[in-house]
């Protein structure tokens, strides 16, 4: 299983099986530095082309059989802050395939269950991480078509790995405000500046590129996905992790994104 999972990635460039070697240590040191400076790392060409093709194939058939079309608004904190329901006011759309509807044959499942990926994340974030225990949101495949977008939010999970499988013709950029949670919670003006893309509160941008693995700390950096444009859908998988075992989403978020609670 592990040997075969290794073949899903470019392990010559990204030696997840050999982190104790000189090359492995250099790779982790670089990733750790970038993660602490930028709040995320993006490993281009991490997935082999055959892997992204298989993710796309399963995403499109899983979408037909178990995809949930979301259309609406949400609280940027997903109800994790008592007494808060902070909305940008934007109605947005996207389609999610929840974990229990992702094909067992999709590489997304093999990669989520792969212990070497867990070891790599642990090394980069500097402490043990665990897979989510959420039956629906632990790992999600997202399909975004022309006009779809995800509004500003903070993730409930501490860490997300994003697997970019297909890039759209344009749009579909991950924008984030580095370590903005405390600022946004305390200061409505900070929130307004970020969502208005005020140059005084500079945002970081990450376009979608097929094959890239992104690791980000989405619970502390407010982020969104800009509107996708064109006929090619954006296809992305989100795998979630926490420093504590047994963590889940909440009912609000499950109902919002999957239309059901279990
Ligand atoms: O699709 C992405 O790049 C990010 C999605 C996201 O923010 C999320 O699933 O919470
Ligand atoms: Fe997110």
């Amino acid at each position: 299983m592990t040997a075969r999972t290794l073949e899903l990635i470019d392990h010559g460039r990204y030696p997840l099986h050999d982190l104790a070697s000189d090359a492995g240590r250099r790779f982790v040191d670089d990733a750790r530095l970038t993660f602490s400076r930028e709040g995320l790392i993006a490993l281009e060409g991490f997935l082999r082309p055959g892997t992204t093709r298989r993710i796309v194939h399963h995403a499109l058939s899983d979408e037909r059989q178990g995809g949930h079309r979301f259309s609406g608004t949400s609280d940027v904190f997903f109800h994790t802050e008592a007494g808060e329901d902070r909305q940008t006011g934007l109605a947005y759309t996207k389609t999610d395939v929840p974990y229990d509807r992702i094909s067992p044959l999709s590489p997304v499942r093999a990669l989520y269950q792969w212990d070497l990926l867990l070891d790599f994340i642990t090394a980069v974030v500097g402490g043990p991480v665990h897979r989510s225990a959420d039956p629906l949101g632990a790992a999600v495949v997202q399909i975004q078509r022309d006009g779809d977008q995800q509004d500003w939010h903070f993730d409930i999970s501490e860490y997300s790995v994003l697997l970019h499988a297909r890039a759209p013709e344009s749009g579909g950029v991950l924008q984030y405000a580095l370590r903005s949670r405390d600022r946004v919670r305390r200061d409505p003006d900070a929130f307004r500046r970020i969502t208005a893309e005020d140059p005084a509160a500079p945002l970081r941008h990450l376009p979608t590129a097929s094959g890239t693995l992104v690791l980000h700390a989405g619970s502390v950096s407010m982020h969104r996905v800009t509107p996708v444009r064109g006929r090619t859908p954006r296809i992305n998988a989100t795998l979630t992790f926490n420093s504590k075992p047994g963590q889940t989403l909440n009912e609000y978020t499950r109902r919002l994104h999957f239309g059901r609670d279990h």
Side-chain angles (χ1 to χ4, degrees):
M1 174 67 171
T2 288
R4 265 192 284 139
T5 305
L6 187 63
E7 297 311 316
L8 295 173
I9 73 163
D10 183 348
H11 53 79
R13 188 166 171 197
Y14 301 116
L16 264 65
H17 58 302
D18 204 11
L19 295 182
S21 66
D22 285 351
R25 275 206 297 270
R26 273 198 305 276
F27 165 50
V28 167
D29 287 348
D30 267 10
R32 195 187 288 149
L33 196 67
T34 305
F35 186 74
S36 70
R37 211 174 41 214
E38 300 295 322
L40 65 68
I41 55 170
L43 308 180
E44 286 168 29
F46 181 87
L47 301 172
R48 292 210 159 129
T51 308
T52 57
R53 274 198 299 277
R54 285 177 53 211
I55 293 176
V56 167
H57 167 80
H58 289 293
L60 294 173
S61 74
D62 293 344
E63 178 192 25
R64 283 191 295 276
Q65 291 171 38
H68 177 73
R69 184 84 185 142
F70 169 78
S71 174
T73 62
S74 66
D75 167 32
V76 300
F77 296 112
F78 291 141
H79 287 187
T80 56
E81 296 286 348
E84 276 280 9
D85 191 347
R86 189 98 58 102
Q87 311 235 353
T88 67
L90 180 80
Y92 66 100
T93 52
K94 66 190 190 111
T95 301
D96 283 342
V97 179
Y99 192 46
D100 66 349
R101 306 307 285 268
I102 298 175
S103 166
L105 301 175
S106 172
V108 171
R109 278 192 179 261
L111 288 161
Y112 191 47
Q113 291 305 325
W114 195 33
D115 287 340
L116 296 187
L117 181 61
L118 216 51
D119 295 346
F120 172 64
I121 301 168
T122 294
V124 174
V125 306
V129 296
H130 303 269
R131 295 179 191 96
S132 162
D134 198 276
L136 307 185
V140 177
V141 170
Q142 316 194 30
I143 300 107
Q144 288 157 314
R145 299 177 186 281
D146 192 26
D148 286 353
Q149 62 182 305
Q150 174 151 19
D151 195 15
W152 289 102
H153 65 284
F154 295 95
D155 294 339
I156 293 182
S157 305
E158 276 172 80
Y159 307 110
S160 292
V161 163
L162 313 173
L163 303 174
H164 290 175
R166 181 180 272 174
E169 283 152 38
S170 66
V173 173
L174 180 74
Q175 277 186 335
Y176 67 104
L178 184 64
R179 294 188 198 100
S180 49
R181 189 172 186 119
D182 287 343
R183 229 161 50 232
V184 166
R185 203 172 39 195
R186 271 189 273 112
D187 178 5
D189 212 43
F191 175 68
R192 190 198 51 73
R193 279 199 301 271
I194 292 169
T195 56
E197 298 183 52
D198 183 336
L203 298 173
R204 289 170 163 76
H205 296 79
L206 186 82
T208 309
S210 179
T212 297
L213 175 147
V214 179
L215 169 64
H216 88 134
S219 65
V220 292
S221 295
M222 193 163 84
H223 57 283
R224 70 158 180 159
V225 180
T226 65
V228 163
R229 298 288 172 220
R231 293 168 50 158
T232 307
R234 176 182 191 265
I235 298 179
N236 178 55
T238 301
L239 320 179
T240 65
F241 303 88
N242 291 286
S243 54
K244 281 197 224 135
Q247 295 294 101
T248 61
L249 300 177
N250 54 23
E251 182 180 342
Y252 170 84
T253 310
R254 277 192 297 268
R255 286 203 184 280
L256 192 71
H257 287 153
F258 314 123
R260 59 193 163 104
D261 188 36
H262 54 267

